[in-house]
Amino acid sequence: MTRRPARATGKAVPPPGAARGRGRVIAAHGRHYLVAPTDGGAPLQCFPRGKKSEVAVGDLVQYEAASADQGVIVDIEERRNLLYRSDQFKSKLFASNLDQLLIVLATEPFFSEDLLGRALVAADAHGLDAVIVLNKVDVAAALPTARTRLAPYRALGYKILEMAVRGAPEAAREALSATLGGRSTLLLGQSGMGKSTLVNLVVPNAEAATREISSALNSGKHTTTFTRLYALPDGGALIDSPGFQEFGLYHLSEGQLERGFPEFRPLLTGCRFYNCRHLHEPGCAILAAVADGRIAPTRHALYAQLVHEASQVVR
Ligand SMILES: Nc1nc2c(ncn2[C@@H]2O[C@H](COP(=O)(O)OP(=O)(O)OP(=O)(O)O)[C@@H](O)[C@H]2O)c(=O)[nH]1
Ligand SMILES: [Mg+2]
Ligand SMILES: [Zn+2]
């Protein structure tokens, strides 16, 4: 039963007693994965055993080799964490076993503050550090607006790195080196912000590797269509992902949501009711802070929207 889909698509099937290997999932495109053996061999094209298995880039897996370059993923090792987004009906995996999120914004195209806020909450809920990159600071006309929009996030304590990855590559490399070294980092951001340009700056031969995988996984070339992990020369990994327009967080609890807003945290014990949802409750310390300007109304609106979305899920 489990191997039938493999035959149907013409994929090689491991012979009985096939050699098992251990590897890291370095690319995902639909149900096709590339697995880099941990012992350093060439990556294998793998598909998961069984219809429902969900494999994420960053996973450490056990595979059975069907041939020198094809295999079947038979087991996923326990993950440190798994970042994903979700709506009412389904979830979509970003990547696993991460240390931090690099949220890539740019002076242009105009970035979405809604997506930025969601990424920051997701990072916190999944136990990841978050760093914001403001790219394309060489686009002088759009820089003041971008800085003004980001000032409140800087005031909240988020780390923001300004750079021009294409415009001033050496300075960008310098700004990134201390942040990326030895850590597993996922790049997240809307299309056109410069995620892949950043990868190509930091990872030698990334461009060539991307072309290779584009043809192996049958996808386009310019805009990124699959998630791809690159080992960094000095240790750690950088994961490029396709630009996204939606970041549903229907899977987060209300506790995770309220803690995901750093400006809420010191006030949470000040609400009259211990189970206050900070929406309409009397004696709410968060609503009081919104009313007198200590918390931005847009941030509270995002919180309320996320609570609403989370309540739509049948748990
Ligand atoms: N002006 C300017 N343009 C840049 C800079 N960095 C990247 N770009 C350009 O921005 C465009 C988009 O860059 P990509 O790296 O493909 O963006 P991406 O975030 O990977 O986009 P998706 O793969 O669609 O998600 C390209 O034309 C880059 O050359 C920069 O520092 N300054
Ligand atoms: Mg890209
Ligand atoms: Zn409250």
Side-chain angles (χ1 to χ4, degrees):
M1 173 63 204
T2 50
R3 288 185 184 181
R4 198 153 299 147
R7 288 208 177 89
T9 55
K11 293 260 161 27
V13 172
R20 272 209 177 199
R22 181 170 185 259
R24 167 109 36 210
V25 177
I26 59 166
H29 188 76
R31 280 174 53 81
H32 296 249
Y33 302 94
L34 276 183
V35 176
T38 41
D39 67 13
L44 291 87
Q45 261 196 65
C46 290
F47 55 99
R49 172 172 289 172
K51 271 196 167 142
K52 282 205 165 151
S53 28
E54 284 211 283
V55 183
V57 168
D59 278 346
L60 277 167
V61 298
Q62 304 278 330
Y63 61 86
E64 282 178 4
S67 66
D69 58 3
Q70 286 203 348
V72 175
I73 294 170
V74 294
D75 199 17
I76 305 171
E77 294 182 17
E78 198 177 330
R79 297 155 170 151
R80 276 195 288 141
N81 50 51
L82 174 66
L83 185 73
Y84 62 102
R85 60 192 156 111
S86 60
D87 61 22
Q88 227 164 325
F89 308 105
K90 57 182 189 326
S91 55
K92 193 169 182 329
L93 310 186
F94 280 121
S96 70
N97 298 318
L98 299 167
D99 295 307
Q100 66 186 355
L101 273 192
L102 209 66
I103 302 165
V104 185
L105 311 175
T107 50
E108 63 172 26
F110 196 77
F111 64 82
S112 156
E113 245 182 90
D114 177 72
L115 288 177
L116 168 61
R118 286 166 183 266
L120 293 170
V121 170
D124 182 81
H126 290 272
L128 308 174
D129 292 336
V131 178
I132 299 169
V133 165
L134 176 62
N135 186 30
K136 310 194 195 180
V137 294
D138 56 316
V139 184
L143 182 56
T145 304
R147 280 192 176 143
T148 303
R149 296 176 74 210
L150 284 176
Y153 297 88
R154 203 184 289 275
L156 286 173
Y158 291 112
K159 185 171 167 189
I160 303 177
L161 301 175
E162 291 193 353
M163 62 189 70
V165 176
R166 198 189 68 192
E170 278 318 309
R173 199 198 308 270
E174 178 72 18
L176 288 164
S177 65
T179 301
L180 299 181
R183 318 191 73 202
S184 181
T185 304
L186 173 67
L187 301 178
L188 270 192
Q190 291 156 270
S191 195
M193 296 294 165
K195 300 179 294 296
S196 299
T197 309
L198 191 158
V199 170
N200 289 328
L201 173 73
V202 177
V203 182
N205 305 321
E207 217 148 358
T210 306
R211 267 197 303 277
E212 217 166 276
I213 287 166
S214 288
S215 57
L217 295 179
N218 238 339
S219 56
K221 275 180 190 168
H222 304 297
T223 208
T224 308
T225 56
F226 52 87
T227 303
R228 169 70 157 104
L229 180 149
Y230 302 89
L232 291 171
D234 300 325
L238 197 54
I239 303 174
D240 194 8
S241 70
F244 62 97
Q245 287 303 328
E246 279 166 305
F247 201 157
L249 293 172
Y250 285 63
H251 57 290
L252 297 188
S253 68
E254 289 188 8
Q256 286 173 312
L257 293 175
E258 66 179 15
R259 283 193 302 277
F261 288 75
E263 66 270 56
F264 289 15
R265 272 178 229 146
L267 304 173
L268 288 172
T269 53
C271 297
R272 185 179 305 160
F273 302 112
Y274 79 94
N275 58 350
C276 185
R277 299 174 77 205
H278 327 302
L279 297 174
H280 312 287
E281 292 76 3
C284 172
I286 305 294
L287 291 174
V290 175
D292 69 16
R294 283 173 291 146
I295 289 178
T298 51
R299 293 276 292 168
H300 185 263
L302 173 61
Y303 164 78
Q305 174 63 25
L306 292 174
V307 168
H308 170 73
E309 290 177 7
S311 72
Q312 304 298 299
V313 182
V314 184
R315 289 179 197 273

